Amino acid sequence: MLTWLSLLFLALFSGAAFMAGRSRALKSSGGSAAKLHSLPNYYGVYAALWAGAPAALLLLLGATFGGRVEDAMLQAQRPAAVQALTPDRQDVFFSDVNAIAIGQAASEVSYDGALKAAFDAKVVEAKRIDGIVSYSVLGLAGLLALAGFLLATPRINTEFRARNRVEGWIAGVLIACSVAAVLTTLGIVMSLIWESWRFFQSVSPLSFLFGTEWAPQIAMRADQVASSGAFGAVPLFAGTFLVMMIAMLVAAPIGLYSAIYLSEYAGRGLRSTIKPLLEILAGVPTVVYGFFAALTVGPIFRAFFNGIGASLAGGPLDDLAQYLMQVQNQMALVAGVVMGIMLIPFVSSLSDDIINAVPQSLRDGSYAMGATKSETVKKVVLPAALPGIMAAMLLAVSRAVGETMIVTMAAGLQAKLTANPLDTVTTVTVQIVTLLTGDQEFDSPKTLSAFGLGLTLFVVTLGLNIIALRIVQKYREQYD
Amino acid sequence: MTDAAISPGAPAARPAESARDALLKKRHRSEKLFRAQGIAAIIIAMIFLVVLVGRIVAQGYSTFETHTLTVPVYLNPERIDTTAIEGVNFDYIVAEAMMKKLGVQDDDLGTTSGKIMDLTSRDFGNQLLQMVKKDHSLIGKTVNVTGSVKADADLYYKGEIKRSTAEGDRKLDNQQLDWLDKLKNDGTVKTGFNTKFFTNSDSTEPEQAGVWGAVIGSAMMLIITAVIAIPVGVLAAVYLEEFAPKNRWTDVIEVNINNLAAVPSIVYGLLGLALFINWLHVPRGSPLVGGLVLALMALPTVIIATRSSLKAVPPSIREAALGVGASKAQTVFHHVLPLAMPGVMTGAILSLAHALGETAPLLMIGMVAFVPGAPENFASSATVLPVQVFIWENASERAFHERTAAAIIVLLVFMIVMNAAAVILRRRFERRW
């Protein structure tokens, strides 16, 4: 609240600085804008920026990190009574102190004796620290604003190159925005590596990557070091691979054939109706596909296989029949098929672009030799477009590997090492979701293993994307 | 071509006419087959689309119809202790009124009233509680209360629970069905449009559950996403496209952004968990943290879309502006960017639509909690439409299934509106140079 109010004040102040800068510039040139180096508004903006921007930055930093500074100062000295507590209880103690200090309800833990005294003392201290930190931030911001204004305005005269200075600010903002994208990557990589490193301290990377048993719940017991092979991720990789293969078996032929038909055969009218319809499939949220898989496709497939099982029962294939009759709604096939449906528009629109990029002269040459349309497509267009199509398929694979909601809702949770599409499988993304939803402590290998899985997922999808981009770059200009 | 190229002697034997015809037929057959494969692929894709949308509409449309009934309730002063209003069993008072209406008596075990309470929503009791709290003089009078029937009764009226099912296999027994038929026949139960679905938030009771909280949560989250992702993304794209020198660093940034666009969404969830929640202590499950995560996710898409629409502005515009003495920044911000704006907005809307449908990263940052009301501010606990769909899909009660489908319909309507806006924007301002 205080931050918002001070930001408002700051905005008013820099508005005033704008007026002051502008009028000072006009005054120095005797009221004629033509004598100034820059347009009058640039002088105003220059003054306003120096008056407002550094102070605003400080206020925002204070709002973001002020709490952490306060916590650090508060916890620098821990009374003996507090030190006697377990680390968890100490955290509760300090969060209660903060809650009381800002007038909220504390947890229901009761403090008495020396602890009570320490608690009351800390509450007073917390209030004092909060006051010191927030008022020093405010005071510093005010000083910055005033100093910026006082330093910037005297420089304004007819010769002053205000536009160039303002454009320097603009360039700075633009660069900062581009850096944000790089920082995002850095943030992803750092957080994944940091948390995974903590995980790999208790579970060796080799047993994670090559172990064949996945049972994270074993590690729930506090006295157990989770190095018993319960974090072997091979079943998850296998499940992910199985679902991905099924999805690609659905998406690749349907997507590719529809792209070929739309770009080579279909007329303008058909093309302009089918393409937007396919794009609807692409725009449907994945949770909707998950619902569709769980409540429509799953039961249909189950009924289908149970029906086959029932009709085979008692015959020579009785074992198979017994198995088919037990098939459940959740299976790799359901998740794979529905994920394939999701990927159709992705594959088809990428392939469509690539097929369209094949130069017409190649087709004309083929027709001139007397080839039919399909022969031209199969023998000339597709080979020419092959690198691009490969790249599109790799991108689709990377989508399939990273897709979460469909598999979460339709593939099941049991980690099994199986190639049977009728079995329930679990994937890397499903495990990440199940490990991190609900309340968990963030130090147990169980929760941290999600970051290990996330790192693997990130590396794999990044690898696929880089390979796809390389393929495209290498072959792109072949026909240009 | 020289004479030597023409082989001497008789020309190569041509295949007999019949063989040639056969070959041609074969080639034409394979042509037809290939074409048929293409058509089949498109038809299969369209069937998927129709089945997907059709099933969801078929499962969800019944939510928009609901059954309400009105009962006159006698507020018996003997049963209502004005000193402890919260403790009064208003549900039983409603059940009494219903028994009177149906002409049945309760036994000692309260079987009948129990069965009747299974047919009427808890909403009746709540309404009475609020009425009496506000106005004590109502005690001793008879008031009319209108409310929903319970979800199972609603399903019976909609034909989802059938009398033909064996009595033990359905939630309602024959006696309850007889009562429901009686209420329907004497006009007590009315069919109407389910406004509650749009005005209520999540609830543990299906007949009370609605999407309002999720819609507000989604809107707040999208505001955060838009406020962060669009300006930052557009300015970053302007820098990379118009100002940046072409060197190793900008190449790295460019590759980096393309890769970011393809990072699985769940990884962004992990980032949000580690960075925003564990490190910066942003409140878990709030629109603020959700919006931040989705903004990071939408950023590369916005940058890529903006860059391509900046690229489409012809160099002559830039040259003309520079020619009359504008600076580089003036050229870009006064001429190039405004001309590229329709493309920028289209890209921004599409990336927001994508963010609206995202679920997986939000599960990581604690948005799966049961939230009974609309969020009050950006830091309070909230739920959003796709997550609401996910939560309801997991609910065991059958009545939640139709609500899941209905929430999907609401979600899809929002997506279609956003996509249509993008298309209209593109059409309306499309410019050929």
Side-chain angles (χ1 to χ4, degrees):
Chain A
M1 196 59 222
L2 199 61
T3 314
W4 290 117
L5 210 64
S6 40
L7 277 175
L8 187 73
F9 259 113
L10 197 61
L12 290 176
F13 180 67
S14 74
F18 174 85
M19 303 306 289
R22 196 188 135 95
S23 66
R24 188 183 159 91
L26 283 173
K27 212 163 84 189
S28 72
S29 70
S32 113
K35 281 187 193 150
L36 290 168
H37 168 269
S38 312
L39 293 170
N41 280 351
Y42 278 108
Y43 294 93
V45 171
Y46 176 75
L49 278 173
W50 273 110
L57 194 67
L58 184 74
L59 283 176
L60 287 177
L61 283 179
T64 318
F65 296 103
R68 293 177 71 81
V69 175
E70 284 170 24
D71 285 351
M73 285 166 71
L74 186 67
Q75 293 174 21
Q77 276 199 336
R78 297 183 183 212
V82 179
Q83 275 173 14
L85 296 170
T86 60
D88 283 359
R89 288 290 310 279
Q90 291 190 16
D91 288 348
V92 173
F93 176 85
F94 282 110
S95 81
D96 280 351
V97 168
N98 281 328
I100 297 290
I102 58 173
Q104 283 177 353
S107 72
E108 283 163 8
V109 181
S110 58
Y111 302 96
D112 40 44
L115 213 50
K116 176 77 183 153
F119 188 80
D120 292 339
K122 279 286 174 190
V123 168
V124 175
E125 196 186 335
K127 279 185 185 157
R128 195 167 52 88
I129 289 175
D130 179 55
I132 292 172
V133 171
S134 39
Y135 285 112
S136 59
V137 166
L138 272 186
L140 213 57
L143 273 180
L144 265 180
L146 207 62
F149 177 72
L150 291 180
L151 287 175
T153 27
R155 303 176 68 179
I156 291 173
N157 56 44
T158 45
E159 297 300 307
F160 184 65
R161 303 179 169 222
R163 196 197 69 201
N164 306 35
R165 297 305 178 100
V166 171
E167 283 173 4
W169 277 89
I170 292 176
V173 171
L174 291 181
I175 291 174
C177 288
S178 319
V179 168
V182 181
L183 286 183
T184 307
T185 320
L186 221 62
I188 290 176
V189 174
M190 294 299 286
S191 61
L192 287 181
I193 289 182
W194 172 248
E195 306 280 338
S196 307
W197 186 67
R198 283 173 46 185
F199 169 62
F200 287 132
Q201 280 179 327
S202 51
V203 179
S204 99
L206 285 180
S207 71
F208 173 71
L209 285 176
F210 300 108
T212 54
E213 196 195 337
W214 180 262
Q217 55 276 12
I218 290 176
M220 284 290 272
R221 269 184 17 232
D223 56 342
Q224 180 177 13
V225 180
S227 54
S228 55
F231 286 100
V234 170
L236 311 187
F237 300 149
T240 310
F241 185 75
L242 180 62
V243 173
M244 181 273 285
M245 283 306 287
I246 298 169
M248 289 310 290
L249 284 178
V250 173
I254 296 180
L256 191 55
Y257 269 116
S258 21
I260 290 172
Y261 190 84
L262 285 179
S263 59
E264 300 287 323
Y265 288 93
R268 201 172 254 271
L270 185 65
R271 200 180 145 84
S272 61
T273 30
I274 298 291
K275 273 207 111 173
L277 283 177
L278 277 179
E279 275 166 19
I280 294 182
L281 271 184
V284 172
T286 52
V287 68
V288 177
Y289 282 110
F291 175 75
F292 180 63
L295 268 96
T296 302
V297 182
I300 289 175
F301 277 25
R302 178 189 178 175
F304 176 73
F305 287 114
N306 290 355
I308 291 183
S311 68
L312 287 176
L317 295 170
D318 196 50
D319 285 349
L320 179 66
Q322 293 304 326
Y323 175 74
L324 286 178
M325 275 153 63
Q326 313 228 324
V327 165
Q328 293 300 310
N329 281 349
Q330 294 197 320
M331 54 173 129
L333 191 63
V334 172
V337 166
V338 174
M339 198 190 282
I341 298 175
M342 181 195 86
L343 290 176
I344 289 172
F346 187 71
V347 172
S348 91
S349 73
L350 280 177
S351 312
D352 193 43
D353 291 345
I354 292 152
I355 290 170
N356 276 330
V358 174
Q360 186 61 28
S361 58
L362 289 186
R363 293 189 188 85
D364 291 344
S366 172
Y367 294 146
M369 302 283 288
T372 63
K373 220 164 191 183
S374 68
E375 283 162 352
T376 307
V377 170
K378 279 188 263 188
K379 302 234 165 75
V380 178
V381 177
L382 283 186
L386 195 61
I389 290 173
M390 283 291 296
M393 295 300 171
L394 283 183
L395 289 178
V397 167
S398 123
R399 277 266 174 120
V401 168
E403 169 47 42
T404 311
M405 293 321 291
I406 298 176
V407 279
T408 304
M409 291 159 92
L413 291 174
Q414 275 178 301
K416 272 192 232 168
L417 197 52
T418 173
N420 179 359
L422 303 184
D423 229 336
T424 68
V425 294
T426 192
T427 67
V428 172
T429 49
V430 171
Q431 285 306 314
I432 296 177
V433 168
T434 38
L435 288 168
L436 289 183
T437 43
D439 291 324
Q440 266 119 13
E441 47 178 326
F442 278 97
D443 293 331
S444 77
K446 186 187 169 196
T447 9
L448 290 176
S449 67
F451 286 90
L453 292 175
L455 184 64
T456 322
L457 185 68
F458 180 73
V459 170
V460 168
T461 51
L462 190 68
L464 287 168
N465 294 326
I466 289 175
I467 294 171
L469 283 178
R470 276 288 145 80
I471 292 177
V472 171
Q473 267 173 6
K474 195 164 175 201
Y475 296 96
R476 185 168 45 189
E477 305 203 20
Q478 207 168 356
Y479 298 103
D480 284 348
Chain B
M1 193 167 272
T2 61
D3 286 345
I6 302 165
S7 57
R14 293 169 68 89
E17 198 142 303
S18 60
R20 243 189 314 146
D21 280 355
L23 185 65
L24 201 59
K25 258 190 195 146
K26 199 179 145 207
R27 287 174 64 202
H28 283 170
R29 240 198 338 269
S30 91
E31 170 74 28
K32 269 189 195 134
L33 188 69
F34 190 69
R35 188 187 271 255
Q37 283 168 333
I39 295 178
I42 289 180
I43 290 176
I44 292 174
M46 290 301 117
I47 289 175
F48 282 147
L49 178 65
V50 169
V51 171
L52 175 71
V53 176
R55 277 297 294 175
I56 284 163
V57 173
Q59 283 172 317
Y61 83 97
S62 58
T63 308
F64 301 117
E65 184 191 86
T66 188
H67 295 87
T68 53
L69 76 146
T70 308
V71 259
V73 179
Y74 172 61
L75 292 169
N76 190 346
E78 290 165 26
R79 290 201 188 276
I80 300 172
D81 175 8
T82 44
T83 54
I85 295 254
E86 299 280 349
V88 177
N89 191 349
F90 283 105
D91 291 333
Y92 188 77
I93 296 177
V94 174
E96 260 184 346
M98 290 290 292
M99 283 189 283
K100 205 166 123 199
K101 194 166 183 72
L102 289 164
V104 286
Q105 291 289 319
D106 207 356
D107 56 16
D108 292 341
L109 294 169
T111 329
T112 316
S113 61
K115 278 184 181 180
I116 281 177
M117 281 189 218
D118 284 344
L119 299 181
T120 50
S121 170
R122 293 285 158 275
D123 185 34
F124 286 98
N126 265 331
Q127 283 188 39
L128 282 178
L129 172 65
Q130 300 307 331
M131 283 157 97
V132 174
K133 252 185 176 176
K134 212 185 278 173
D135 184 3
H136 283 300
S137 67
L138 286 176
I139 297 169
K141 290 181 188 154
T142 301
V143 291
N144 277 324
V145 191
T146 307
S148 314
V149 297
K150 247 202 163 2
D152 290 325
D154 194 45
L155 287 177
Y156 171 66
Y157 284 134
K158 286 170 182 168
E160 299 275 325
I161 292 178
K162 292 186 184 71
R163 204 178 262 274
S164 54
T165 319
E167 197 172 357
D169 291 346
R170 49 176 144 85
K171 284 256 184 98
L172 304 173
D173 63 18
N174 284 337
Q175 197 184 12
Q176 287 172 313
L177 295 189
D178 290 339
W179 289 337
L180 286 175
D181 284 341
K182 188 169 179 237
L183 289 171
K184 181 89 187 169
N185 291 336
D186 67 14
T188 315
V189 169
K190 290 206 172 57
T191 312
F193 184 72
N194 191 355
T195 48
K196 270 188 185 160
F197 182 70
F198 296 98
T199 55
N200 279 13
S201 297
D202 198 7
S203 162
T204 46
E205 291 172 57
E207 72 275 2
Q208 292 295 322
V211 292
W212 178 245
V215 168
I216 295 296
S218 277
M220 289 170 94
M221 203 177 65
L222 276 189
I223 288 172
I224 299 272
T225 305
V227 162
I228 295 170
I230 294 176
V232 174
V234 170
L235 293 180
V238 165
Y239 177 72
L240 292 175
E241 194 59 39
E242 304 283 338
F243 291 94
K246 295 277 168 271
N247 59 25
R248 272 252 299 296
W249 285 109
T250 45
D251 279 353
V252 168
I253 295 180
E254 179 159 6
V255 171
N256 185 3
I257 288 169
N258 284 332
N259 278 328
L260 269 184
V263 171
S265 60
I266 193 167
V267 172
Y268 282 96
L270 290 173
L271 168 73
L273 180 63
L275 182 67
F276 296 130
I277 293 184
N278 285 354
W279 198 63
L280 286 179
H281 299 292
V282 183
R284 242 173 105 83
S286 62
L288 181 62
V289 67
L292 285 170
V293 167
L294 293 184
L296 292 186
M297 231 181 82
L299 194 59
T301 333
V302 175
I303 294 179
I304 291 170
T306 308
R307 287 191 74 170
S308 64
S309 57
L310 285 174
K311 253 190 210 130
V313 177
S316 58
I317 302 277
R318 297 182 182 81
E319 283 153 17
L322 292 172
V324 296
S327 69
K328 186 84 192 163
Q330 285 170 327
T331 307
V332 171
F333 286 100
H334 296 181
H335 301 275
V336 180
L337 194 56
L339 286 172
M341 223 47 206
V344 173
M345 287 326 290
T346 313
I349 293 173
L350 288 181
S351 68
L352 284 185
H354 189 76
L356 172 67
E358 201 54 70
T359 321
L362 304 180
L363 302 182
M364 308 279 90
I365 50 174
M367 277 201 152
V368 271
F370 170 73
V371 182
E376 284 154 16
N377 57 47
F378 288 106
S380 56
S381 214
T383 188
V384 295
L385 269 174
V387 177
Q388 187 74 78
V389 168
F390 179 68
I391 295 172
W392 281 352
E393 197 270 335
N394 278 327
S396 54
E397 272 182 84
R398 196 169 155 192
F400 270 119
H401 287 173
E402 61 167 16
R403 274 167 176 75
T404 315
I408 288 177
I409 295 174
V410 174
L411 179 62
L412 288 181
V413 167
F414 277 110
M415 308 275 304
I416 290 169
V417 167
M418 289 175 89
N419 281 299
V423 170
I424 289 169
L425 213 60
R426 194 171 1 181
R427 290 262 164 84
R428 178 101 167 65
F429 295 101
E430 197 171 47
R431 190 188 276 261
R432 296 209 157 252
W433 302 97

